[in-house]
Every structure is written in C-alpha cells, then in structure tokens.
Amino acid sequence: MSIAEKTTELQGQKIVIVGGGIGGAAGALALALRGADVTLYEHHPEFKEVGAGLQIGPHGVKMLKKWGIGQRAIELGFVPENMQFRDAMTAETILTMDFGEKFLEHYGAEYLVIHRSDLLNLLVESATEAGATLVNNHHVLDGVTDGDGVKVTVKNRADNSISEVEADVLIGFDGTHSLFRKKIVDDDPVPSAYVAYRGTSSLPDDPDMAGLTSVIGYIGPRCHFIQYPLRSGELLNQVAVFQSPRYLKSLVEGTEVPEDWGNNDEFRQAFTHTHEKIQCRQKHMWLDQWWQMTDREPLDNWVVNDRIIVMGDAAHPPLQYLASGAVMAMEDSEVFALFAAEAANRGELDWGKVLREVSVERAPRCGRIQTVGRLWGELWHVDGIARHVRNELFRQAGVDNYWFHYADWLWNYDPEARAYLKDPSLGNLPKGLEDWEYNLHKLERQRKDGAQPSDLVL
Amino acid sequence: MSIAEKTTELQGQKIVIVGGGIGGAAGALALALRGADVTLYEHHPEFKEVGAGLQIGPHGVKMLKKWGIGQRAIELGFVPENMQFRDAMTAETILTMDFGEKFLEHYGAEYLVIHRSDLLNLLVESATEAGATLVNNHHVLDGVTDGDGVKVTVKNRADNSISEVEADVLIGFDGTHSLFRKKIVDDDPVPSAYVAYRGTSSLPDDPDMAGLTSVIGYIGPRCHFIQYPLRSGELLNQVAVFQSPRYLKSLVEGTEVPEDWGNNDEFRQAFTHTHEKIQCRQKHMWLDQWWQMTDREPLDNWVVNDRIIVMGDAAHPPLQYLASGAVMAMEDSEVFALFAAEAANRGELDWGKVLREVSVERAPRCGRIQTVGRLWGELWHVDGIARHVRNELFRQAGVDNYWFHYADWLWNYDPEARAYLKDPSLGNLPKGLEDWEYNLHKLERQRKDGAQPSDLVL
C-alpha cells in the first residue's frame, strides 16, 4: 500500500482530532500528509463503523486519490456500471446514470461503493502510515483555548485516568452529538420521520441478484429501497427506508413520539404498496436494529474560536439522500489541510484565519448539501400526480446525460478553487427553488399557527 | 362570408340535432355541408353561450377550416403569439409555447382564442347558410326509434304546442344534463371541487395588460388564473379558478355539500398565497356568477340505438384544462359527417353502422381527453416539492419545443385517418401513467375503505 508523498508545510503543528470515524480518520490522514503532528482520540475501544455500504461519489473519490488511496479503495469496494432509479410501484427504470467513460471524463473520478468498515480501516491505516497517532478507548472530556493553543482533557477509558494534552488546534470530528458543536449552538437533531433498515448478504448465492453491477434505487411513495454490490461483488448491500406512520401521527397530533418508531411491525407494513421485486427482498434485512433518520439545521459558522473548529457530522449531519455525509467530511479534511498548508507556505499560518476560511468555504456548500438532501428525499417519496411528474422529469434527465446539469454542483468540487469562499451564494438553492419549504418545517409552522390535525397540509 | 363548397352525399337524409350550443351548431354545419336535411332544436329562446372566451387549439381550427370558416373565426377572435405558463406564486414564466412558424408547420393550423358567442354565431350563421334549419325556443321532450327512423317529440315553448317530427337519425348534442345520455347511462356529474370566476374588460384601457398578445396561464397551489385577448385585442378575458375549501371539507368529512360552494367569500381568500400580479386582477372578475366545475366519467359507447347517438358534452363533458370541450364537439361533428358521407359514397349508408363507427372512433379519444384533463388539472394545482418538480419539467419541455411531444396526441387529430377506430389503445394514458388515480376517485375509494378524515391521503 502506498499513500501520497508527504510534504512538510505543517511540520511542528500539533493538531488534536476528536473522533475516529471516517471524518476524523480522513482529517488525520490529510493533515499528517502535510507533515502535521496529529493525534486522534476515539472513545470507542476500537475503530469501527456502524452500518454497511457507503456510496462515494466522484467528489469523494477525488479526495481519496489526492491522498494516494483511491486505487486501494476501489479494490476494496466496487465501481458500479451505473445507477438505476426505478419507480418502486412499477419497477420501471426511470433514469440510468451511466458511470462509464463520459462520466469519468466529466467528473474526473469513479463512482465507488464500499463497505464502511473497509473505508474506515483504510483511512486509519493510511493515517497511521502517514505518521498520525490514532488512539482509541480515550474519551475527550473537553477542549478549551489556552493562550496560543488548546488544552484538551482526555480520559483513558481503560484506567479512567485523566490527562491534559496541549495542541495548536483542535478539530471536533465528534459526530452528530458533538460536544464541540454545543459550544457554537445548542440545537437538537431534526427527525425526518423516516427510518432505515439495512442488511448485507451473499451476492453470488442470491439467485435474483447474482451478477448485479449497478446501484439500484427504487423510489416510491413514502419509501425507498437501495441495492448495490460490495467487496468486489461478494456482498449485496440493501437499505430499506420508509416513513413511520406512528412518528408522523404523533407529529401531526402533537402527542408524544413513541421511542421505537419505525419498529419491525411498521417495517412489515411499509412496503406492501410496492413492487414484488422489493417486497421479496425484505427477508434479507436485519431486524434487530433500525436507524431513525435525523439531520440538523445547517450551521453558518463552524468555528468555536481561533483554535477550535467542528467538521464532519458535528458540523453538518445530513439526511443520506445525496450520499455525501462521509464525502463532506473528506472534503472538509482536505480543505482544512490545504488551506493551512498554503498559509504556511506563504509564511502566514494564522490558525484563526485558517479556521474562518475553512468555515466560510465549507459551510455554504455543506448547508446546501443538507438542504438539497431534504428536498431530494421529498422528491423520492412523493405520491399521486407528483410521482408521475417526478418520473417524467427523471426520464427526461436521462436524455444525453442531461442529469449532469443537476449533479455538477455536487460532484464537481475542487478544494483548490475556493469557489464558495469567493461566492457564498453557491450555497443557495438554484433559482426557482427559493421558496421551497421542507415538509417538516411546514408542519411545524402550521402547528405553531394553530392548525388542527385535519388542516395540516403536508 | 363564404363556407366550404357543399357536397351531396347525404342528400335526402333527414337529421335532427337536439341542442344548439357550439356542438349542435357545428354538427348542423358539418352535415348540411354534406347535403343532409338538418333540423336543429334549441330550447332557449335564442342561440347563446354562457361564459366568455374560448381557446380553440389547432385541432379545432382545422375543423373550422374544413368547413370554410377558419379565416372568419380568426378575424373574429385573436391568434396569440404564444402561451405562457407561469408559476402563480413567483410569476416566473416556466414554459412558453410558441405559436409561430414552427407550430403552424407542425400542427397545420393556428391556435385561436375567440369569444364563445362569436363562435356560436358564426356556426349558426354558417349552418343556416349551408341549408340547415335552426329552430330555437323548441324543447325536445323525447326521441325514440320508430321502424327505420326516429320519432321526435318537440314542444314549441312559444305556444306550448307539441308536434311529432320524423327523421332518419337523431344526434343528442344536448349538453351535460343530456336527456339522451340517460338512455345509455344514468350517471351523475363528478364535481371537481374547483370553481371558476370569469370576467371580460377592456384590454386597451388596462394599463397593466394593454398590448397583451399571449395566453397567460398562472398555475399554482389549488388555483390558477388565465388571461388572454379577445376580439382582435379589444377585450381582455380572465378566468380565476380555485379549489373550494368548503367543498373539500364536506367531501373529506362526509357532510352535506353547501350549495353555494365557491362563493364570493371563498373567492376573496383563494388567491392570497399567489403573486401580486394575480391578486391585483381580482377586481375585474364578475362576482354575480361562478361556475362549479364538473365532468363525468368517460362513456365507452355513445350509441342509444341504430338511429340515436350522443355527441359533445352529452357524451364527454370534460374539465376545462385541455381547452378541448368545444373542439371535441367539432371533431365529433366532422367525424360523424365524414363517416356518413363516405358510407353514402360507397352506396352503403347503414346508419347503425355509421353511429357505431363514430362511437368507436371518438369514445377512446374523448375519454382520454377527459382523463388527461383531470390529470392536467392536478398537475397545475400541486403544492410543495411537487410544484417545483412540475416547474422544472415545464422548463425542460420548453427546450427545442420538446412540448410538441406531449401535445401531439391532442392537437394532431385527423378525422380521415380513423386512427382510434384502427387502434383503440390510443385512448389509453401513455406508458408510465397507467396507475395514476384521479384525486377525487382516490378520496372516494379511501372513504369507502373506512378511512377517517385525518387518514385521507389526497
């Protein structure tokens, strides 16, 4: 295995990363590659990811390639021939996004699907190879600025000993329940009313699916169902997502939300209106765990102070519809490392300035990804005439790769261009969508306006 | 004024038409032009139309041209440069359908807007000139087959005298509350929950609208608003259509429908969410009358028996969204006259066969127009994400006149081709739309399934 050649711009800079998920490990790698002295703390006893498959668009694969591990990631994962959107009720393929030659030429990198654990392991190993220190079973209790640096309080969970660590900068890659985000805003996660079931199974042994080389996304009223290969085609990854009627009911009626919303009873009912091709797959899903899907409101400023910043899910937990949660964290990492290295190169390494620039570049982009993720989810789940209009729009988008037009903002991202820093309006929704309102916001607004359950317009 | 040259195929054939609206008058003209002996009875004391403007697509203008009155109709009406669909909330133009050279070439005729009275007068005068006898203030009480013909009972409303008239064939052009449709099916009108307000005003004196040369259709959540010039640009015709909250409420709750649904109180509230450009136009609408919009289920067979058939609104009252109600009646007329004349030319004038052929040719086409009219209405009135998807699909449809693709089935109709007779599946919704369900059908189905108001999914 070989990572990219190390450089030395950040030599002598001590950076603490809190959180050893995909984001933190990517941050450790990107910074260690620039010569920084990186220590990462993960509170779990081992580095591990929950879930199974992960889609990495070309915007993410480009980051992996910059770090020299793109090819290795591709070997560990699977490069699908295309992504097929299908109507969940009729199974008609309404849009095929071809990932062949034209795609590669246009986006400059592959579309990759990979097991979350495989990607995390690769990042952890690569960061270690690049010289970062990755420590697990250590819980960061706090981090505060202290003069010209940060003082970090770390508890070793093996012996409960507590130590103080000093660093120049701290990055909170500490996920959706981030300690450091709280220092900027004390907000709550926003539940989407949707829940995900997952499952992996043998692909070659699956008579209906063997030989699958596509990402398949069935989209339909109040649900969707995703299938793709993992590990060079050995595994089939499946995700079943649906709107919880019990959650929605409590939301509409203003009653208490049941803790187990999206449970197995709901799951068994959730796909009865869909095509047999989906219904017959339910038996492959894990039933002992389900993911109640939430995101948070976009955050304009990620900087706690001149020495502390949040990135990854701590800054911008999205819904999963644009498959860009992990990719955003990788982009964050590369932008941070790049901006710091460039400043150091110019002999102007002012961490406060770097952190602010990272935030100004990244917050509009990630905010847009979060917002469009919500919109994209609504688009997948519409019913009635809206579903037919959506299907027709998807069919049209397939003609001459017109869909590039919709995907470019997402997949053509170049950290070196500093595009959002130069023009933050790139983070806005495109013209015509300005007055779109997220369903759950609308519901909340109507409830606040005193609407009765039967008056609510969703 | 000159109508088309008369021919003689139907000489000696006595035809009674019941109803002197646009359909009946068109039928009288088309048949008189083939030499038939036509008598039309209209129960009103004069020939008149309610409402104001009427849009006649190229499928209708082609009929007028066949009868030699296309140019005269164009002089009486207005040929708009284009039709502009605009989002009712933002006033953005989302689709411009250009009616210029390419349109003319593609559809073979103009798009015309004309005052209903002007068109009716033109048809009545032309039918009279062609030799038809048009009688008003006469109420047809019944028509029954009698041996090799029809016996028609007619009441003269001037003196209440009743007479029996004999004819070879009777055509029930007697509108949406048709006596003759009842002989085929005893169905009820299907209310759409939408109501229309209309108004005409001086166009040159209107500072905001003077010089208008387009048909403008603002489409938005639960409402739309149409504007176009009439009478060579002297008049501005406006139509405001909205969903009645009271009607919908009674439908959802299963309570009695208030008779005055769509009244002025509702009208004043109906456009508050729309753009100022619409709101400021409300003062031009007539308030003393509003039209509760209904249609009926498509009717597979229009033939009462070998000598009696229904056509026009009696056979296929549509919602108004495809602007084809009057045009269908004109197509019916031409198809009837053509099929009869061709049979006579072959020396095989078997009226039973002609009536059945007309029904087999026309019913699938008109059924599709009725059904797509409902769908088109839903498409105009969507809210939320659906509205944005609709807007984007409309924007895409504007590229390189792609919208021809959606309009061809409607506007490229040739009676001589007998296309639906040869392939009745042309009356089906296009692929992908097979499982679309009309909102009001869905509501009814859910109520029958015992759904409570709060469970209803519209």
Side-chain angles (χ1 to χ4, degrees):
Chain A
M1 193 173 89
S2 77
I3 55 174
E5 201 167 332
K6 278 187 69 168
T7 55
T8 57
E9 301 95 331
L10 299 182
Q11 217 151 34
Q13 298 295 328
K14 193 161 162 43
I15 297 174
V16 161
I17 292 176
V18 183
I22 286 168
L29 172 58
L31 285 159
L33 283 173
R34 265 76 172 203
D37 173 7
V38 182
T39 307
L40 177 152
Y41 297 103
E42 164 57 38
H43 73 285
H44 274 119
E46 48 186 319
F47 293 103
K48 87 171 187 197
E49 277 283 316
V50 289
L54 188 63
Q55 300 183 53
I56 304 284
H59 51 336
V61 174
K62 271 184 275 187
M63 299 303 111
L64 296 172
K65 288 187 169 181
K66 272 182 199 290
W67 303 331
I69 58 175
Q71 197 47 47
R72 183 80 186 107
I74 284 170
E75 287 159 20
L76 291 168
F78 190 90
V79 174
E81 282 181 43
N82 55 44
M83 185 181 317
Q84 296 175 20
F85 282 100
R86 297 182 182 173
D87 181 284
M89 294 180 77
T90 63
E92 176 198 348
T93 299
I94 52 177
L95 171 62
T96 299
M97 293 161 66
D98 193 88
F99 294 151
E101 212 167 297
K102 277 193 180 158
F103 178 93
L104 281 168
E105 198 178 296
H106 191 80
Y107 291 114
E110 292 82 354
Y111 195 100
L112 169 68
V113 287
I114 186 169
H115 199 291
R116 298 182 86 95
S117 309
D118 295 345
L119 178 63
L120 179 62
N121 289 342
L122 174 62
L123 288 166
V124 166
E125 284 167 26
S126 304
T128 306
E129 185 183 339
T133 305
L134 278 67
V135 185
N136 52 34
N137 216 23
H138 279 63
H139 190 181
V140 169
L141 300 177
D142 204 2
V144 292
T145 47
D146 179 37
D148 216 22
V150 197
K151 193 173 278 175
V152 190
T153 312
V154 185
K155 176 167 132 184
N156 181 340
R157 295 178 66 194
D159 59 10
N160 285 331
S161 65
I162 288 176
S163 53
E164 298 282 335
V165 176
E166 288 188 0
D168 293 297
V169 177
L170 179 148
I171 306 176
F173 258 125
D174 50 341
T176 190
H177 298 287
S178 164
L179 169 68
F180 294 96
R181 181 187 180 100
K182 275 218 170 58
K183 293 174 188 276
I184 303 171
V185 60
D186 188 21
D187 62 346
D188 289 318
V190 179
S192 69
Y194 280 80
V195 66
Y197 279 69
R198 297 194 164 96
T200 52
S201 47
S202 165
L203 181 53
D205 297 338
D206 192 320
D208 296 327
M209 302 303 300
L212 177 72
T213 56
S214 299
V215 177
I216 295 174
Y218 290 96
I219 60 181
R222 298 170 297 286
C223 70
H224 70 268
F225 188 73
I226 309 281
Q227 304 175 298
Y228 53 82
L230 286 176
R231 292 190 178 141
S232 316
E234 282 170 36
L235 272 187
L236 172 64
N237 185 68
Q238 296 189 126
V239 191
V241 176
F242 62 91
Q243 190 183 53
S244 157
R246 286 191 305 149
Y247 185 92
L248 201 67
K249 192 176 162 73
S250 67
L251 216 61
V252 165
E253 295 180 354
T255 53
E256 204 180 335
V257 175
E259 245 184 55
D260 67 338
W261 61 274
N263 67 11
N264 288 185
D265 287 342
E266 291 189 285
F267 177 53
R268 271 184 283 270
Q269 292 302 314
F271 291 88
T272 51
H273 61 304
T274 63
H275 195 271
E276 169 60 19
K277 281 189 180 175
I278 300 173
Q279 295 201 42
C280 72
R281 308 303 305 173
Q282 275 191 298
K283 58 179 180 285
H284 297 275
M285 312 307 291
W286 303 323
L287 291 175
D288 55 345
Q289 197 180 0
W290 57 95
W291 283 262
Q292 295 167 342
M293 293 163 54
T294 65
D295 65 356
R296 287 178 189 260
E297 297 306 324
L299 191 61
D300 283 346
N301 163 48
W302 299 1
V303 179
V304 178
N305 58 47
D306 277 4
R307 299 288 169 157
I308 300 176
I309 190 172
V310 289
M311 303 208 298
D313 278 352
H316 47 70
L319 297 179
Q320 86 296 10
Y321 300 99
L322 295 179
S324 291
V327 174
M328 280 191 280
M330 296 195 285
E331 288 178 350
D332 294 346
S333 298
E334 177 57 20
V335 166
F336 185 102
L338 176 77
F339 285 14
E342 286 184 349
N345 251 346
R346 292 191 307 267
E348 296 170 1
L349 181 54
D350 169 345
W351 277 116
K353 196 170 165 214
V354 169
L355 266 51
R356 282 189 299 276
E357 279 186 357
V358 169
S359 174
V360 173
E361 166 70 14
R362 296 294 304 160
R365 171 162 172 82
C366 295
R368 179 167 173 179
I369 291 175
Q370 287 175 286
T371 304
V372 175
R374 291 169 169 182
L375 187 153
W376 197 227
E378 287 189 0
L379 183 63
W380 286 13
H381 298 141
V382 288
D383 200 354
I385 186 70
R387 171 180 148 245
H388 293 287
V389 182
R390 186 269 324 277
N391 286 358
E392 183 62 11
L393 187 62
F394 274 48
R395 287 184 203 107
Q396 290 308 317
V399 178
D400 294 334
N401 288 320
Y402 188 82
W403 59 267
F404 282 1
H405 176 81
Y406 299 110
D408 282 354
W409 73 275
L410 181 64
W411 286 346
N412 259 337
Y413 179 69
D414 176 7
E416 301 190 21
R418 295 173 176 243
Y420 291 77
L421 217 160
K422 290 172 187 159
D423 180 6
S425 79
L426 291 178
N428 299 343
L429 289 188
K431 197 171 140 16
L433 281 172
E434 300 91 344
D435 69 350
W436 168 75
E437 185 178 17
Y438 183 37
N439 255 343
L440 294 197
H441 286 168
K442 192 169 176 181
L443 198 65
E444 204 179 341
R445 178 173 57 77
Q446 291 178 90
R447 285 187 53 81
K448 275 187 188 154
D449 290 352
Q452 295 306 303
S454 62
D455 302 328
L456 292 169
V457 179
L458 247 193
Chain B
M1 194 172 91
S2 78
I3 54 174
E5 200 167 333
K6 279 187 70 172
T7 55
T8 57
E9 301 94 331
L10 299 183
Q11 218 153 34
Q13 298 296 328
K14 192 161 166 41
I15 298 174
V16 161
I17 291 177
V18 183
I22 286 169
L29 172 57
L31 285 159
L33 282 173
R34 264 77 174 202
D37 173 8
V38 182
T39 307
L40 179 151
Y41 296 103
E42 164 58 37
H43 73 285
H44 274 117
E46 49 187 318
F47 292 103
K48 88 173 186 197
E49 276 282 315
V50 290
L54 187 64
Q55 300 183 54
I56 304 284
H59 51 337
V61 175
K62 271 184 275 187
M63 299 303 112
L64 296 172
K65 289 188 169 181
K66 273 182 201 286
W67 304 330
I69 57 175
Q71 198 47 45
R72 183 80 187 110
I74 284 170
E75 286 159 21
L76 291 168
F78 191 90
V79 173
E81 281 181 44
N82 56 42
M83 186 182 315
Q84 296 176 19
F85 283 99
R86 298 182 181 173
D87 181 285
M89 296 180 77
T90 63
E92 176 198 347
T93 300
I94 51 177
L95 170 62
T96 300
M97 293 162 64
D98 193 87
F99 293 150
E101 212 168 300
K102 276 192 182 159
F103 178 94
L104 281 168
E105 197 178 298
H106 191 80
Y107 291 114
E110 292 83 354
Y111 195 99
L112 169 69
V113 286
I114 185 168
H115 199 292
R116 299 182 84 97
S117 308
D118 296 344
L119 179 63
L120 179 62
N121 289 341
L122 174 61
L123 287 167
V124 167
E125 284 168 27
S126 304
T128 306
E129 185 183 340
T133 305
L134 278 66
V135 185
N136 52 34
N137 216 22
H138 278 64
H139 190 181
V140 169
L141 299 177
D142 203 3
V144 291
T145 46
D146 178 40
D148 217 22
V150 196
K151 192 173 283 178
V152 189
T153 313
V154 185
K155 176 168 133 184
N156 182 338
R157 294 178 66 195
D159 58 10
N160 284 331
S161 64
I162 289 176
S163 54
E164 298 283 334
V165 177
E166 288 187 1
D168 292 298
V169 177
L170 180 149
I171 307 177
F173 258 123
D174 50 342
T176 190
H177 298 288
S178 163
L179 169 69
F180 294 96
R181 182 189 179 98
K182 275 218 174 62
K183 293 175 186 274
I184 302 173
V185 60
D186 187 21
D187 63 347
D188 289 317
V190 179
S192 70
Y194 280 80
V195 67
Y197 279 69
R198 297 195 164 96
T200 53
S201 47
S202 164
L203 181 54
D205 297 339
D206 192 320
D208 297 328
M209 301 302 300
L212 176 72
T213 57
S214 299
V215 176
I216 295 176
Y218 290 96
I219 59 180
R222 299 169 296 286
C223 70
H224 70 268
F225 188 73
I226 308 283
Q227 303 175 299
Y228 53 82
L230 285 177
R231 291 190 180 145
S232 315
E234 282 170 36
L235 273 186
L236 171 63
N237 184 67
Q238 296 189 125
V239 190
V241 176
F242 63 90
Q243 191 184 54
S244 158
R246 285 191 306 149
Y247 184 91
L248 201 66
K249 193 175 161 71
S250 68
L251 216 59
V252 165
E253 295 179 354
T255 53
E256 205 180 334
V257 175
E259 242 183 58
D260 68 338
W261 62 275
N263 67 12
N264 287 187
D265 288 342
E266 291 189 284
F267 177 53
R268 272 185 283 270
Q269 293 303 312
F271 292 88
T272 53
H273 62 302
T274 63
H275 195 271
E276 169 59 18
K277 282 189 180 174
I278 300 172
Q279 294 199 42
C280 73
R281 306 304 304 174
Q282 275 191 298
K283 60 178 177 287
H284 296 275
M285 312 306 292
W286 303 323
L287 291 176
D288 54 345
Q289 195 179 2
W290 57 94
W291 284 262
Q292 297 167 340
M293 291 162 55
T294 64
D295 64 355
R296 288 179 188 258
E297 298 306 326
L299 191 61
D300 284 346
N301 164 48
W302 300 0
V303 179
V304 178
N305 57 47
D306 277 4
R307 300 286 169 158
I308 301 176
I309 189 171
V310 290
M311 305 209 297
D313 278 351
H316 47 70
L319 298 179
Q320 85 296 11
Y321 300 99
L322 295 180
S324 292
V327 175
M328 280 191 282
M330 294 194 287
E331 288 179 350
D332 293 346
S333 298
E334 176 58 20
V335 165
F336 185 102
L338 176 76
F339 285 14
E342 286 184 349
N345 251 345
R346 292 193 306 268
E348 296 169 2
L349 180 53
D350 170 345
W351 278 116
K353 197 171 165 214
V354 169
L355 267 50
R356 282 189 299 276
E357 278 185 359
V358 169
S359 174
V360 173
E361 166 70 12
R362 296 294 304 159
R365 170 159 173 85
C366 295
R368 180 167 173 180
I369 290 175
Q370 286 175 288
T371 304
V372 174
R374 292 169 169 182
L375 186 153
W376 196 228
E378 287 189 1
L379 183 63
W380 285 14
H381 298 141
V382 289
D383 199 355
I385 186 70
R387 171 180 149 244
H388 292 287
V389 181
R390 186 270 323 276
N391 286 358
E392 182 63 11
L393 186 62
F394 274 47
R395 288 185 201 106
Q396 289 309 317
V399 178
D400 294 334
N401 288 321
Y402 188 81
W403 59 267
F404 283 2
H405 176 82
Y406 300 111
D408 282 353
W409 73 274
L410 181 64
W411 286 346
N412 259 337
Y413 179 70
D414 176 5
E416 300 190 21
R418 298 173 175 242
Y420 291 77
L421 217 160
K422 288 174 188 157
D423 179 7
S425 79
L426 291 177
N428 299 343
L429 288 188
K431 199 173 139 14
L433 281 173
E434 299 91 343
D435 68 351
W436 167 75
E437 185 179 16
Y438 183 37
N439 255 344
L440 294 197
H441 286 170
K442 193 170 174 179
L443 197 67
E444 201 180 343
R445 179 173 54 78
Q446 291 177 91
R447 285 187 52 81
K448 276 190 188 152
D449 291 351
Q452 295 304 303
S454 62
D455 302 329
L456 291 170
V457 180
L458 245 195

